[in-house]
Amino acid sequence: MSPLLQTPEESTAPSRSRRKLARTTMGLERDKKRHGDVEDRRGDTLVDEIGIATTAPAPNGVDLVQESVSLIEYVARLGDFRSTQRQECYSLVRRMKSLLPLFDEIRFLGSAIPPNGIASLSKLKKVFCLAKKLLKTCNEGSKIYLALESEAMMVKFHAVHEKLCQALDELPFDEIEVSVEVREQVELMVTQLRRGKRRKDTQDMELAVDLMAVSSKTDERNADIAIIERLAKKLDLNTVENLKKETIAISNVAKERGQTSECIEQIVEILNKFKQVFGMEVIDVFEDPVKPKLLLKPGSLVIPHEFLCPITLEVMRDPVIIASGQTFERESIQKWFDSNHRTCPKTRERLGHLSLAPNHALKNLITQWRETNNYKSPNTEGLASPQGSSIKQEEISSLVEELSSCQLKVQRRAAKDIRMLSKENAESRILFAENGAIPALVQLLTYPDSKIQEHAVTALLNLSINDTNKKLIANEQAIPTIIDVLRNGRMESRENSAAALFSLSMLDENKVTIVLSDGIPALVELLEQGTVRGKKDAVTALFNLCLNQANKARAIDAGIVPPLLLLLKDKKLNMVDEALSMFLLLVTHPQGRYEIGQLSFIGTLVDIIKKGTPKNKECAASVLLELSSNNSSHILAALQFGVYEHLVDISETGTNRAQRKARGLLQVMKTSDQLP
């Protein structure tokens, strides 16, 4: 058997068991050669057979074992999974692989498998088919769709876990003479599955913040390049190659769900924003998703994507090939290796060596194309500024030097220019940091000049989009100073300080620094006093910080609940979803349930469930379910406000998530004898 399929238990099993397992694998390989690849011929149709009466002959025990092992081998070869479901996928594959010793022993039974054993094995194979379909979706599916539907996918994983437990419980271990050792391994796995609690995936919750901002129809910043870049990076959709694959995946989802569904429209809008930021041509994904795309520079010619470095997305000057066979700009890949990376940035595979081989053929093609089209690369001619001019390396150094000028006017202008140049160009963020802009900008945060302070904090916000810069900014002790600006600066400076704290808080160590520097009370104050944009910046930063359980209590102590309630009541602010998302975090903390579980709040939730948008109803039902699951008096209060008929309606016509929450609330009512 391939080492990929070996489990820890197998490596420590007695030699007799290992010999058995080897014979099993060889036997299965012989059977596969005689009968063809069972997985290829039948695997994709097995799911359709689940739960459907059939007149096919009764399954044979040996065939069931063979097909089950083939399914396990198939999912073990799937490789990487989408980041939003990666942990669940690897866990499920690991569970399935741990059952191989069981099939080994069944394979070599001295007697025939009894009928109830055949029935149990058949049921177990059907569960494997469901698992295969789910894992294939997480391996090949749209990354944007899986991020938006992360909770629905989690429900599917739990359904597979439950069915797997049921199938294994029904196995007649005594009758099929399975050894005590293997039986104990299976029983332990079932116990672990049943004991496991639903995981609160913090990455998914962080993704929700950016997805909400990018998808918003009312947030004026929903096209903010910084937010779109950050979201694209989280979803691993920040290269031309991956965006091309995502386009095809979305087209496949649209064929299944219908092009006009609200979910598909939202996915396509997000995809198009990613493409615009990375310079790709935006086309109709439903017409020809497989058609090769070329990078389109605004106001310029079409650039073949093969000429672009996958890291910088700029035309390469000195293309080199690395051990994975992929080509990169020499300078970019060298920086990657110098940062202690030993993997290919494109394929993620571990590299056998770090040697760089010049790609002369591609370099000649690029040179000919440059001459034919009179193309001048931004890398050699300078970084394009928002005004259409260019800035060279010498000018970057000059701007950084001017930050330390003795003339206030010069400092102000330099800080403003760095702010503008770092907003839209990823390369400029690296170059400014490498030339020492971060320490100089941090120094300017303490200046009494309000415009310098505003430009400096906003420039740091833009620079912080780069993960390396996040660390550099924190190392310069900038976080306490940014919080001071958040408390005492002008309103725009305060807003951008809150946005900077959100960006910096993506690193866990920075979360700690923000909290220890009293960042939470300062953010709550902006939530109370700020403009609409300031409130959005504050609640976004607070959301990210409150992913930590201890910080929920800190936010409550700082007085976060009253301003959140105002956001729910003031519909003109268009921040109901943001407020409800924050409440959903707080309600998982005992102190939070006590603070917000008042009669008036229940009435507000019910009002939103009655009259809100589909998304509002979904969030409100989620909060009410969390409250009611811990205290039945809350569901009784909701019934008194007339929630029942609206929950019934949502359970049938709401969004997928809203339907699940509404059904959960109806179940809570039933178990607590509160149904009308």
Side-chain angles (χ1 to χ4, degrees), residues 506-541:
M506 290 299 176
L507 299 183
D508 288 339
E509 57 266 34
N510 289 347
K511 282 187 176 76
V512 175
T513 305
I514 292 169
V515 170
L516 295 178
S517 303
D518 288 332
I520 288 179
L523 288 166
V524 170
E525 187 177 335
L526 181 62
L527 185 63
E528 291 176 313
Q529 303 172 358
T531 62
V532 174
R533 177 164 181 166
K535 293 178 186 295
K536 288 180 182 289
D537 287 323
V539 77
T540 303

Side-chain angles (χ1 to χ4, degrees), residues 140-186:
E140 304 169 355
S142 160
K143 297 176 181 179
I144 301 174
Y145 172 78
L146 290 171
L148 290 169
E149 294 292 314
S150 58
E151 185 167 348
M153 295 302 295
M154 185 74 78
V155 171
K156 292 182 179 181
F157 274 101
H158 285 288
V160 170
H161 291 167
E162 184 58 34
K163 291 179 183 295
L164 183 58
C165 290
Q166 293 173 0
L168 293 173
D169 281 341
E170 295 175 9
L171 273 175
F173 289 103
D174 293 332
E175 295 182 40
I176 58 179
E177 301 176 2
V178 173
S179 68
V180 174
E181 178 189 4
V182 169
R183 179 171 181 172
E184 287 177 349
Q185 291 175 5
V186 173

